[in-house]
Amino acid sequence: MAIRSIEELWDAVCDECKKTITPTAFDCFLSDLKPVSLEAGKMILSINNEYRKSIIESNYSEVLKKSVMAVMGIEMSVELILEEDEEKIRNAEQNSEGLTFEDFFTFDNFIVGSTNRFAQAAAFAVADNPNIIYNPLIIYGNSGLGKTHLLLAIKNHIKKKYPNQKITYVQSEQFTNQLIHALQDGKLGIGTLDDFREKYRNTDVLLIDDIQFIAGKESTQEEFFNTFNALYQSNKKIIATMDRPPRDVKTLDDRIRSRFESGMIADITLPDFENRVGIINQKAEELEIKIEDNISYYIAEQIKSPRQLEGIVKKLHAYIVLQHKMPSIPVVQELIRDVINDSKPEPIKIETIISEVARTYNVTESDILSKRRTAALALARQVAMYITKMTTDLSYEAIGQEFKKDHSTVIYNVKKKKKFLQDKPYEKELVDDIIKNLQG
């Protein structure tokens, strides 16, 4: 998954630290560190104990620095401050240049090739032109091909060229979760639904990532449709990414699909060989290393995904810095094997399945796991059991334990749902979309 926040960046740095120090050392000294801010060339961390702060500065500064470099691919210093030093934390945030992980994605470092040229041109036209053009712009393609890069490049370009424009970037899952909280709080009279609408309907540019995740979620789709209309009628820009063309998301509201198809739709596919070599060379240049042509060509022949290519170059960078020599082809083969293994999708968890089904069918996760037997809950429960069996290696017994049901009940529900879907095309499309979202 792409890193989009300082918290996710810190989690990745912690994983790197654990590769070089013992679990005991990590738990004793580094586990309580918290990320505060990311400035140009510096990561600021806080710790709640003066003694441990001194120990970390004396013994683990280099570990932290190398781990940050391994994750980000650039050299950064690491500064520690005490948690109670709130004034210093506030100053660090106020005086920082606002550099976040998102700011690294620009049009300048997006490698253009035959498989993404049209999407890049359309994205740049939308970002560079103050007038409405290609509205909405929908960019689709598989994971790891650069959709989010282009979305953030649009954001950063507009932010720099038109600083007075209000830009809102959100992942569709965040949009859904924020709406759920707004609806829940609104029932208490707090009125946060109005705040939610104020946020998304009073922006000049709305950028929404992975919009396919709202498919099948009636309340979210209704709110997005109304938000879309409000922005569109006010001549505001709307840009979204998807993992497939709108017509292939069968459970997407027809009204939303129609709006998307009235705009510009651009796809991104796997880069060709020359484009992959270009990606490798540019990433190497950014990291200030030189990769021999035979190695670049070998990597480009083996790896197709831009995201995996970037990961490999970062590993090459770490190898060159630490070993002070160029890697051989056998070393590169090992690095490629690691990256491919790291990029394999994690097994889908039952908790994730239940959460996605609950949001889609507008019930709670606890309701699905309860003994209540309303028609709506029975349907959601059957779907959750069916999807669990279709997407995991768990046995009927194991699934039954998770749902607090006898394995025979699970078998009955899965078979019943499978038969039911054969004659219900819309329901089948809904379930298929949930599965695609989980796998995505």
Side-chain angles (χ1 to χ4, degrees):
M1 181 178 291
I3 298 174
R4 296 188 176 95
S5 69
I6 190 172
E7 288 77 17
E8 291 183 7
L9 171 62
W10 175 240
D11 287 342
V13 172
C14 287
D15 289 340
E16 286 294 327
C17 290
K18 292 173 183 176
K19 296 178 182 178
T20 56
I21 64 175
T22 66
T24 301
F26 181 86
D27 291 340
C28 288
F29 299 107
L30 304 186
S31 61
D32 288 334
L33 284 171
K34 297 178 181 177
V36 176
S37 67
L38 185 67
E39 303 179 22
K42 181 191 297 183
M43 172 177 273
I44 297 179
L45 306 170
S46 69
I47 186 70
N48 58 6
N49 182 282
E50 176 71 43
Y51 171 72
R52 280 193 289 175
K53 177 176 178 287
S54 63
I55 294 294
I56 295 169
E57 288 174 335
S58 300
N59 299 284
Y60 297 102
S61 291
E62 197 63 26
V63 171
L64 289 168
K65 185 177 179 181
K66 288 181 179 179
S67 296
V68 171
M69 182 179 68
V71 173
M72 296 195 66
I74 58 175
E75 188 169 336
M76 300 189 75
S77 61
V78 178
E79 179 183 343
L80 266 63
I81 58 176
L82 290 173
E83 279 187 7
E84 63 261 25
D85 197 354
E86 295 181 2
E87 186 64 31
K88 189 170 184 180
I89 293 176
R90 283 198 294 270
N91 289 337
E93 292 173 341
Q94 292 170 359
N95 296 330
S96 72
E97 298 180 11
L99 183 65
T100 69
F101 203 82
E102 293 177 2
D103 295 317
F104 287 96
F105 297 92
T106 66
F107 287 111
D108 289 337
N109 59 26
F110 183 82
I111 306 297
V112 181
S114 60
T115 60
N116 61 22
R117 182 172 285 109
F118 179 74
Q120 188 274 346
F124 183 79
V126 168
D128 198 57
N129 197 318
N131 300 318
I132 294 298
I133 183 171
Y134 307 147
N135 203 32
L137 171 63
I138 308 298
I139 303 171
Y140 75 88
N142 289 331
S143 177
L145 298 184
K147 303 187 302 299
T148 300
H149 188 137
L150 283 180
L151 204 64
L152 292 173
I154 293 172
K155 169 178 175 268
N156 293 328
H157 187 87
I158 294 176
K159 182 179 177 182
K160 183 177 181 180
K161 188 169 183 178
Y162 307 106
N164 294 326
Q165 288 205 345
K166 186 176 180 181
I167 308 168
T168 302
Y169 166 78
V170 67
Q171 297 169 316
S172 66
E173 189 170 3
Q174 293 173 328
F175 184 88
T176 299
N177 290 335
Q178 289 169 14
L179 174 60
I180 290 172
H181 290 306
L183 290 170
Q184 291 173 342
D185 293 342
K187 291 176 183 177
L188 300 175
I190 300 174
T192 56
L193 185 57
D194 290 335
D195 297 334
F196 176 88
R197 289 170 176 166
E198 175 74 17
K199 174 181 179 179
Y200 287 107
R201 299 184 190 183
N202 289 278
T203 188
D204 296 305
V205 183
L206 175 62
L207 303 137
I208 185 162
D209 212 356
D210 288 325
I211 192 67
Q212 75 276 357
F213 283 108
I214 73 169
K217 301 176 178 68
E218 293 183 6
S219 297
T220 305
Q221 290 193 100
E222 183 67 28
E223 191 62 36
F224 177 77
F225 176 75
N226 292 329
T227 298
F228 182 102
N229 282 344
L231 293 174
Y232 190 83
Q233 291 166 7
S234 300
N235 292 321
K236 306 301 183 182
K237 296 179 179 179
I238 306 160
I239 305 99
T241 67
M242 306 181 71
D243 64 352
R244 51 197 185 276
R247 66 175 181 273
D248 290 349
V249 186
K250 304 301 183 183
T251 55
L252 187 67
D253 189 298
D254 288 338
R255 299 173 300 171
I256 296 175
R257 185 185 296 108
S258 176
R259 297 296 192 277
F260 285 174
E261 292 178 343
S262 70
M264 174 66 69
I265 299 178
D267 71 321
I268 299 179
T269 57
L270 286 169
D272 56 25
F273 175 79
E274 291 77 9
N275 196 194
R276 297 198 295 273
V277 172
I279 292 171
I280 294 168
N281 291 337
Q282 176 164 323
K283 295 302 176 184
E285 184 178 341
E286 290 174 2
L287 297 178
E288 298 181 351
I289 61 173
K290 174 66 177 177
I291 298 179
E292 296 173 356
D293 288 343
N294 65 321
I295 291 179
S296 296
Y297 296 158
Y298 176 78
I299 295 172
E301 288 171 353
Q302 304 299 318
I303 303 296
K304 305 296 189 296
S305 165
R307 186 176 297 166
Q308 290 184 12
L309 290 173
E310 184 173 353
I312 290 169
V313 176
K314 286 181 179 179
K315 285 183 176 290
L316 287 175
H317 174 266
Y319 180 89
I320 293 170
V321 169
L322 297 174
Q323 300 294 328
H324 304 291
K325 63 180 180 179
M326 290 298 299
S328 62
I329 290 294
V331 169
V332 173
Q333 289 173 334
E334 286 299 315
L335 294 176
I336 288 177
R337 185 177 295 113
D338 289 343
V339 171
I340 292 174
N341 289 338
D342 289 344
S343 68
K344 289 181 179 178
E346 295 182 2
I348 299 173
K349 299 178 181 178
I350 283 189
E351 294 88 344
T352 307
I353 295 171
I354 293 173
S355 176
E356 188 69 17
V357 171
R359 286 189 295 177
T360 300
Y361 286 87
N362 199 27
V363 298
T364 67
E365 297 170 33
S366 58
D367 280 340
I368 291 179
L369 295 173
S370 72
K371 295 182 178 180
R372 295 176 59 195
R373 295 176 180 244
T374 65
L377 288 180
L379 174 61
R381 195 174 292 127
Q382 283 181 357
V383 170
M385 290 181 181
Y386 173 81
I387 291 177
T388 301
K389 188 58 183 173
M390 295 299 107
T391 60
T392 72
D393 295 328
L394 295 176
S395 64
Y396 286 112
E397 287 81 4
I399 297 173
Q401 290 175 4
E402 294 289 341
F403 285 89
K404 300 179 176 63
K405 303 290 181 184
D406 185 82
H407 77 279
S408 60
T409 302
V410 178
I411 294 174
Y412 171 79
N413 282 322
V414 170
K415 288 184 176 179
K416 183 177 180 180
K417 195 63 190 175
K418 187 174 183 179
K419 184 177 180 180
F420 175 81
L421 293 176
Q422 292 175 350
D423 301 322
K424 298 291 188 297
Y426 177 79
E427 284 291 334
K428 186 177 187 306
E429 289 169 357
L430 181 60
V431 170
D432 288 345
D433 272 344
I434 293 174
I435 292 174
K436 287 179 181 177
N437 289 342
L438 289 167
Q439 293 172 336

